[in-house]
Amino acid sequence: MNDSIPDYTMQTAPAGYDKEREGIARGIIHTVEYPSRAVGNTRKAMVYTPPGYSAEQKYSVLYLLHGIGGDETEWYNHGKPQIILDNLYADQMLKPMIVVLPNGRAMLNDRAEGDHFAPDKVQAFETFESDLLHDLIPYIEANYPVRTDRMHRAIAGLSMGGGQSLNIGLNHLDRFAWIGAFSPAPNTKLPELLLPEPQKAAELLSLLWLSCGDLDSLKNVSDRTHAYLSQHSVPHIWVEENGDHDWPVWKNGLYQFSKLIF
């Protein structure tokens, strides 16, 4: 990768990209439960398997994270990722992948209720790192025919989940080669903590995607991250698009990011 990524031109997703089409093959999205040692109970995640899914094939995996007010169903309820992905497969624009939608609030009562900013809930978003690495990823790899090397594992998310994706992904480049953050929130670590060795990260990253709406009140988080990456010549795609801290930006992020990975 070159730090300018000259071959990438941002395009708005075409009309109808998130609308269900007739006459195309569809993937399946379902809920699984997995044992979490990090939390001490059984936790839920949603899993999307693509059209034509077969146990005889090996798949890459994208872990797609929600925001502070959501849970494992937030993307499904508001972003319709299965429709976006089905349409991309129909247009032959995606590599074969499984998409896992976890609950990034790793605590005993992980429902999206009460004060989302309560200290124990904010802490639970940090605890999720252990839950993901040591509980959820091993569960997925034990139960689905997936490739288990870093080149076939991606992490991305919106808002709080965008911050988690940067915090976890950049801290574990031995696990993730593809990282995406859509409107990352203030839980995002300061850039010098995210990437204390920027040149090492530059060598390891296959794709680092950062996008945010131009009207987003949290855009300063993305601006400071983009500035640091540029200053240290870390290859990344920076997209400043029309929009606020909302679903059109995040769905477009998924549409664009998923086409580029693997």
Side-chain angles (χ1 to χ4, degrees), residues 183-184 186 212-223 243-245:
S183 318
C212 192
D214 55 1
L215 301 176
D216 194 326
S217 64
L218 302 180
K219 185 170 169 288
N220 63 298
V221 177
S222 295
D223 287 338
D244 209 327
H245 198 75

Side-chain angles (χ1 to χ4, degrees), residues 1-17:
M1 287 174 63
N2 300 315
D3 61 314
S4 58
I5 314 195
D7 58 343
Y8 181 76
T9 302
M10 175 62 187
Q11 298 176 341
T12 303
Y17 80 102

Side-chain angles (χ1 to χ4, degrees), residues 187-230:
N187 63 313
T188 306
K189 292 177 182 175
L190 291 171
E192 53 270 25
L193 298 178
L194 281 175
L195 285 175
E197 298 179 87
Q199 291 319 303
K200 181 180 178 183
E203 293 167 11
L204 289 170
L205 281 162
S206 292
L207 175 64
L208 176 55
W209 169 285
L210 183 65
S211 60
C212 192
D214 55 1
L215 301 176
D216 194 326
S217 64
L218 302 180
K219 185 170 169 288
N220 63 298
V221 177
S222 295
D223 287 338
R224 78 184 185 202
T225 305
H226 166 56
Y228 181 89
L229 295 170
S230 299

Side-chain angles (χ1 to χ4, degrees), residues 25-47:
R26 303 194 193 287
I28 295 172
I29 190 163
H30 60 284
T31 298
V32 299
E33 296 189 0
Y34 65 97
S36 172
R37 290 172 296 173
V39 178
N41 67 346
T42 299
R43 309 195 71 226
K44 291 180 179 179
M46 297 191 80
V47 178

Side-chain angles (χ1 to χ4, degrees), residues 68-91:
I68 193 169
D71 55 27
E72 75 280 354
T73 67
E74 183 179 50
W75 269 102
Y76 176 75
N77 289 333
H78 300 283
K80 303 298 181 193
Q82 75 282 9
I83 294 175
I84 294 171
L85 298 168
D86 285 350
N87 291 342
L88 282 167
Y89 278 114
D91 294 334

Side-chain angles (χ1 to χ4, degrees), residues 37-176:
R37 290 172 296 173
V39 178
N41 67 346
T42 299
R43 309 195 71 226
K44 291 180 179 179
M46 297 191 80
V47 178
Y48 167 87
T49 52
Y53 173 75
S54 167
E56 305 304 311
Q57 186 174 350
K58 290 283 191 180
Y59 295 86
S60 302
V61 187
L62 165 61
Y63 292 86
L64 185 62
L65 311 184
H66 62 83
I68 193 169
D71 55 27
E72 75 280 354
T73 67
E74 183 179 50
W75 269 102
Y76 176 75
N77 289 333
H78 300 283
K80 303 298 181 193
Q82 75 282 9
I83 294 175
I84 294 171
L85 298 168
D86 285 350
N87 291 342
L88 282 167
Y89 278 114
D91 294 334
Q92 300 184 316
M93 297 176 80
L94 284 192
K95 301 287 197 310
M97 70 178 87
I98 289 171
V99 181
V100 180
L101 312 170
N103 185 333
R105 189 184 298 97
M107 59 193 299
L108 288 173
N109 177 10
D110 60 7
R111 295 302 90 192
E113 56 194 22
D115 178 7
H116 299 316
F117 295 91
D120 60 336
K121 294 181 180 177
V122 173
Q123 176 59 46
F125 276 93
E126 296 182 26
T127 305
F128 175 69
E129 180 170 341
S130 177
D131 176 75
L132 173 66
L133 298 176
H134 304 302
D135 300 315
L136 180 54
I137 289 177
Y139 173 85
I140 294 297
E141 294 180 349
N143 289 277
Y144 292 88
V146 299
R147 301 187 185 279
T148 58
D149 59 291
R150 63 183 295 275
M151 291 302 296
H152 294 91
R153 192 183 297 121
I155 186 169
L158 68 89
S159 193
M160 177 71 80
Q164 286 177 310
S165 297
L166 294 172
N167 295 346
I168 297 171
L170 293 173
N171 192 40
H172 295 282
L173 289 170
D174 58 326
R175 304 282 198 108
F176 302 96

